[in-house]
Amino acid sequence: MIKRYILSGEDFSIAGEASSSFKAVLKKLGIDAGIIRRVAIAMYEAEINTIVHGGGGECEAEIEGNKITLVFRDQGPGIPNLDLAMQEGYSTATEEIRELGFGAGMGLPNIKKYTDSMNIETEPGKGTTVTLVINL
Ligand SMILES: Nc1ncnc2c1ncn2[C@@H]1O[C@H](COP(=O)(O)OP(=O)(O)OP(=O)(O)O)[C@@H](O)[C@H]1O
Ligand SMILES: [Mg+2]
């Protein structure tokens, strides 16, 4: 089963809706609560990053066999230094984004912590694709 979500970069007030909607899908399927929690945290953080840093994009969430795969795509500015971006506390969030409660620099480290695999493909000026896998 694949679910597709449009992640609008225009309206920050609806940021987080895709992850809560997919969480409800997993609950209905009777997926283990611990797995749902990990998926929800990782998906929420990646969704927010796509919206606030990537300017919006899309997410594909697939439940298939023994794993859940989440793919986030945007055509934003890209991430010039991935090692730096992965460090706890590193953030380029603007004052406006920080006022909304984002920008602690903990999203990517937490995504890494709560997933079984994380892959980021990014090119400055072109965009970013984040692929996450959580084993069932
Ligand atoms: N999709 C993206 N496009 C461009 N830059 C990104 C993207 N995702 C992350 N980044 C960069 O990586 C940095 C670290 O991301 P991370 O999610 O760890 O922290 P944050 O989003 O700044 O703060 P928090 O997630 O704690 O609210 C961001 O500040 C941003 O510079
Ligand atoms: Mg973040």
Side-chain angles (χ1 to χ4, degrees):
M1 180 202 288
I2 298 193
K3 295 280 177 193
R4 289 189 175 81
Y5 302 96
I6 303 294
L7 307 177
S8 167
E10 305 292 315
D11 184 1
F12 289 178
S13 73
I14 57 167
E17 283 194 351
S19 38
S20 47
S21 158
F22 190 59
K23 188 176 174 181
V25 170
L26 298 180
K27 267 193 187 159
K28 250 191 195 154
L29 290 172
I31 305 277
D32 172 81
I35 299 268
I36 294 181
R37 186 172 161 267
R38 289 171 55 213
V39 171
I41 294 170
M43 185 167 172
Y44 175 78
E45 293 296 345
E47 176 182 358
I48 299 293
N49 281 352
T50 300
I51 291 167
V52 303
H53 303 299
E58 56 174 27
C59 168
E60 269 178 25
E62 181 175 24
I63 309 156
E64 169 257 318
N66 55 357
K67 62 182 199 274
I68 293 173
T69 306
L70 308 169
V71 182
F72 300 84
R73 293 188 194 88
D74 69 61
Q75 297 183 319
I79 305 174
N81 185 333
L82 259 185
D83 287 340
L84 199 56
M86 286 302 302
Q87 282 179 22
E88 292 187 7
Y90 176 84
S91 175
T92 61
T94 60
E95 202 47 49
E96 184 202 358
I97 292 171
R98 285 172 199 269
E99 273 166 18
L100 297 171
F102 309 122
M106 289 307 295
L108 291 176
N110 277 329
I111 291 170
K112 176 100 190 147
K113 180 170 155 193
Y114 288 111
T115 56
D116 292 300
S117 120
M118 171 184 196
N119 179 60
I120 301 180
E121 281 172 46
T122 184
E123 207 181 320
K126 289 260 169 79
T128 301
T129 300
V130 178
T131 305
L132 311 175
V133 176
I134 289 113
N135 297 327
L136 292 172

